[in-house]
Amino acid sequence: MITTDYVPGSPCWVDLGAPDVAAAARFYGSVFGWQLDPPELEADGYGVFRLAGKSVGGLGRLTQEGARSAWMIYFQTPDVEATAAAVERSGGSVRVAPFAPDGEGRMAQLTDPQGGQFAVWQPGTMRGLEAVDVPGSLCWIELYTTDAAAAKKFYGSLFGWQTQDMPLPGDGGAYTLIAPAGLGPERAQGGIMGLPADHLALTGGRPYWHPVFAVADCDATVAKVTEGGGSVQMGPVDMPDVGRLAVCLDPSSADFVVLAPAPG
């Protein structure tokens, strides 16, 4: 469950770096009904995706040479500088040093010791996403990694996350639920999935985070994904007690998951 109280360590924002922002805006508009604010971006501009007037994510142009188009997950922190320093002490790195975009807060872009990229946000006038956990908005986050134990240790130390391992069917190992410090399993906000390197082809074996967006009808949404030039890596498939989901790629190969949650 993603909520908007944005306690430390909770996901509070997502944005997409796309090589063609106009094409990305059209694609996600057709899939989720999002509108980009402003409708057109300058070369180095940044826009906000809105659903029924509420922010559900951001969009900027991908400019880094050799970088892949991807969604970035931001986690709330009360002190960006302290968090960036803690990442470096733990063997990670700072890709973008702390700064204050438009005075709305402070942010930094970071990399965990295994190579997974994420960002942190210290709220100012902007606390985070305005709509979550409803169709067309963020409802879950996931980390795919080759070393789940190391990821649990790193992020647990950094954010104080509570974790709970859930066994997967057969010999599938475990799926680790993550929840903010001091909150119970009912506030689980995402998961960590251990996978072999050859299952992480998008990043050449490096770990990566991706967003899960809630939808009312998984199959209908997947049809919109493919009609818009995207593709499906897995699904749609029914997951007991979770819902019906599919792992998708947009036309620039940025990955995301769509989930029609199970009733109740």
Side-chain angles (χ1 to χ4, degrees), residues 68 111 114-117 144-146 197 200-208:
R68 79 176 185 99
T111 303
Q114 283 72 50
Q117 298 183 350
Y144 287 173
T145 178
T146 55
L200 307 180
L202 284 176
T203 56
R206 286 191 298 104
Y208 61 92

Side-chain angles (χ1 to χ4, degrees), residues 36-262:
L36 186 63
D37 178 19
E40 297 183 6
L41 302 183
E42 300 294 332
D44 58 349
Y46 186 87
V48 174
F49 282 124
R50 296 191 183 276
L51 181 66
K54 295 185 176 181
S55 61
V56 290
L59 174 65
R61 196 176 309 278
L62 183 67
T63 57
Q64 182 180 345
E65 187 73 25
R68 79 176 185 99
S69 182
W71 283 93
M72 182 69 63
I73 310 294
Y74 291 68
F75 299 101
Q76 200 271 359
T77 178
D79 189 328
V80 162
E81 278 78 10
T83 300
V87 167
E88 291 187 309
R89 288 196 302 271
S90 298
S93 59
V94 177
R95 297 193 325 280
V96 178
F99 72 103
D102 299 324
E104 295 181 329
R106 293 185 63 75
M107 64 166 286
Q109 294 191 6
L110 311 165
T111 303
D112 70 28
Q114 283 72 50
Q117 298 183 350
F118 65 104
V120 290
W121 178 257
Q122 180 181 332
T125 57
M126 197 278 284
R127 296 186 64 240
L129 300 170
E130 294 170 337
V132 296
D133 214 40
V134 296
S137 70
L138 185 71
C139 68
W140 195 254
I141 57 170
E142 284 184 326
L143 174 67
Y144 287 173
T145 178
T146 55
D147 194 336
K152 285 192 290 184
K153 181 179 180 181
F154 170 78
Y155 289 102
S157 173
L158 187 66
F159 294 124
W161 286 347
Q162 299 180 124
T163 62
Q164 179 181 0
D165 288 344
M166 306 291 290
L168 295 172
D171 296 323
Y175 185 87
T176 300
L177 300 177
I178 54 177
L183 300 179
E186 70 278 1
R187 283 292 302 273
Q189 59 196 17
I192 297 173
M193 181 70 180
L195 293 169
D198 59 4
H199 283 53
L200 307 180
L202 284 176
T203 56
R206 286 191 298 104
Y208 61 92
W209 287 96
H210 61 208
V212 180
F213 298 114
V215 296
D217 186 323
C218 181
D219 295 70
T221 303
V222 165
K224 292 177 182 177
V225 168
T226 56
E227 288 167 5
S231 59
V232 180
Q233 285 192 303
M234 184 191 79
V237 61
D238 292 314
M239 301 294 289
D241 302 320
V242 175
R244 189 164 176 80
L245 61 82
V247 182
C248 303
L249 298 177
D250 72 13
S252 296
S253 296
D255 60 301
F256 61 99
V257 175
V258 295
L259 168 67

